[in-house]
Amino acid sequence: MKKNAVELARKELAKMPEDKRRGTMLLSSVTDAYQGHETKYRLTRGILRELQAVEYPGLVRILTKSPVVTRDIDLLTSLPAPKSA
């Protein structure tokens, strides 16, 4: 677990060129983003807040089996809807 994941996401988003921000952002392609430690550290929620802060225009996807994802519905629904090509 990277306890500094939110800070890393913030830095990467800041240096990401505009044309790259149109791509799909997949959280948890290998490891579930909502593991047990998520309720304590809120790393996935923090990353979603960073995506919200920069108004990430690309598609954001989360692969999970955890019901904890429902906690973040407010952030997921506040992200900009991706524009069709």
Side-chain angles (χ1 to χ4, degrees):
M1 171 185 65
K2 289 189 176 203
K3 291 182 183 176
N4 64 338
V6 177
E7 180 183 333
L8 292 173
R10 183 180 309 118
K11 287 179 181 178
E12 289 301 314
L13 286 167
K15 65 183 182 181
M16 185 182 288
E18 279 296 317
D19 62 319
K20 298 293 182 187
R21 288 188 181 193
R22 304 207 190 297
T24 299
M25 179 76 62
L26 176 61
L27 302 178
S28 69
S29 62
V30 176
T31 304
D32 196 316
Y34 290 95
Q35 295 181 35
H37 65 267
E38 176 60 22
T39 55
K40 178 179 180 181
Y41 294 104
R42 297 177 165 250
L43 300 174
T44 301
R45 184 163 180 87
I47 292 169
L48 290 172
R49 279 191 178 139
E50 294 302 320
L51 291 167
Q52 180 188 42
V54 300
E55 298 179 349
Y56 188 81
L59 184 62
V60 177
R61 293 182 178 238
I62 299 176
L63 181 61
T64 185
K65 292 181 179 182
S66 174
V68 179
V69 68
T70 59
R71 174 201 67 195
D72 295 338
I73 288 174
D74 62 322
L75 292 173
L76 292 166
T77 58
S78 72
L79 291 171
K83 295 181 176 144
S84 300

